[in-house]
């Protein structure tokens, strides 16, 4: 069974930092492209950033509002993905989802975590 | 960045009816278009990728069509569990972007 479990969410003051973790199991974590998306309260979805698999260069890309402030990394042996968030702003308040994409026998599969709430408020 | 515009914002339909949702891209995304379903309090679920390929486990009543800038998600006969918010998303050019969503009620 595939599982993605986020942790580390909570309340943080503007300008503060927070690190989200995503524990993965049940699929080939090392070969998957891992991503974070977020959803502000009552709003739509925003793709925050992605990390390609090592075989695809292990590169990262970020959406413009978080570039230079957020960093995605992972530890393949530990099957763990992280999102380091620095210089947090009120508009970063959202549920953050980790998700994985992989190709299996010619079909694309995607797995999502349940989300972690990050609240930025003074 | 590519702007994805969905219409209508809300679609009122009855169970058993057909639902047709539209998505327009501000520039061509080829067939690099996905559709997601999201229910309250849940993570999004991938329905369609490549504009028309159903993801694993998605019922055949869901179908996608289109290419370039115009896309359609059709739900042939709505079931009670289909009432949710639907998002289109382009993955042709980074940053990948979502539409604002269509609520099926």
């Amino acid at each position: 069974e595939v599982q993605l479990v986020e942790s580390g969410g909570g309340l943080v003051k503007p300008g503060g930092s927070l690190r989200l973790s995503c524990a993965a199991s049940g699929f080939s974590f090392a070969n998957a492209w891992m991503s974070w998306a977020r959803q502000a309260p009552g709003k739509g979805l925003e793709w925050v950033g992605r990390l390609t698999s090592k075989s695809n260069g292990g590169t990262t890309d970020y959406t413009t509002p978080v570039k230079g402030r957020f960093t995605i990394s992972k530890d393949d042996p530990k099957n763990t993905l992280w999102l380091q968030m620095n210089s947090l702003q009120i508009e970063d308040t959202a549920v953050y989802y980790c998700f994985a994409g992989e190709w299996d026998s010619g079909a694309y599969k995607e797995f999502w975590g349940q989300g972690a709430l990050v609240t930025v408020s003074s | 960045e590519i702007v994805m515009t969905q219409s209508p914002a809300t679609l009122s339909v009855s169970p058993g009816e057909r639902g047709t949702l539209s998505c327009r891209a501000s520039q061509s995304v080829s067939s690099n278009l996905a559709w997601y379903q999201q229910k309250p309090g849940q993570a999004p679920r991938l329905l369609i990728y490549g504009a028309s390929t159903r993801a694993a486990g998605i019922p055949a009543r869901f179908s996608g069509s289109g290419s370039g800038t115009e896309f359609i998600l059709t739900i042939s006969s709505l079931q009670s569990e289909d009432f949710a918010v639907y998002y289109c998303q382009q993955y042709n050019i980074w940053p990948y972007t979502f539409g604002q969503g269509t609520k099926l009620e």
Side-chain angles (χ1 to χ4, degrees):
Chain A
E1 181 193 6
V2 172
Q3 278 199 314
L4 290 165
V5 180
E6 300 97 336
S7 60
L11 175 64
V12 61
K13 288 182 166 51
S17 297
L18 207 60
R19 188 176 82 157
L20 300 181
S21 299
C22 175
S25 61
F27 65 98
S28 178
F29 183 78
N31 292 327
W33 287 37
M34 300 301 300
S35 295
W36 290 92
R38 67 183 179 182
Q39 187 167 36
K43 301 297 184 182
L45 295 162
E46 181 180 28
W47 199 313
V48 172
R50 65 176 181 182
L51 172 58
T52 64
S53 62
K54 189 174 289 186
S55 61
N56 287 103
T59 57
T60 53
D61 292 287
Y62 302 93
T63 190
T64 301
V66 310
K67 207 174 294 186
R69 300 189 297 123
F70 289 13
T71 302
I72 299 173
S73 61
K74 67 171 182 167
D75 185 323
D76 285 339
K78 293 184 178 179
N79 279 10
T80 301
L81 177 76
W82 294 286
L83 178 66
Q84 177 67 44
M85 302 182 290
N86 299 330
S87 303
L88 281 161
Q89 304 165 359
I90 290 175
E91 49 268 30
D92 294 319
T93 294
V95 174
Y96 285 75
Y97 297 99
C98 73
F99 64 103
E102 66 169 8
W103 286 92
D104 182 11
S105 303
Y108 177 72
K109 295 182 179 179
E110 202 169 85
F111 315 109
W112 287 67
Q114 83 290 350
L117 177 62
V118 172
T119 303
V120 184
S121 174
S122 55
Chain B
E1 76 180 32
I2 297 177
V3 176
M4 306 301 292
T5 303
Q6 293 184 240
S7 60
T10 304
L11 183 61
S12 297
V13 289
S14 299
E17 291 184 339
R18 173 187 292 256
T20 303
L21 290 68
S22 297
C23 175
R24 173 177 291 178
S26 60
Q27 64 186 78
S28 176
V29 298
S30 187
S31 294
N32 296 315
L33 190 285
W35 289 95
Y36 291 83
Q37 177 193 67
Q38 188 179 32
K39 297 179 180 179
Q42 296 185 17
R45 178 173 72 143
L46 178 68
L47 299 175
I48 301 283
Y49 63 93
S52 61
T53 302
R54 275 189 304 278
I58 301 303
R61 64 181 181 272
F62 291 90
S63 64
S65 63
S67 66
T69 62
E70 302 284 342
F71 301 89
I72 299 286
L73 174 70
T74 302
I75 310 170
S76 60
S77 178
L78 280 155
Q79 308 296 302
S80 57
E81 61 266 29
D82 300 335
F83 291 90
V85 179
Y86 292 81
Y87 295 94
C88 63
Q89 177 251 320
Q90 69 81 19
Y91 53 94
N92 193 55
I93 295 175
W94 186 263
Y96 301 160
T97 45
F98 291 90
Q100 82 282 12
T102 290
K103 183 178 181 180
L104 216 52
E105 63 175 27

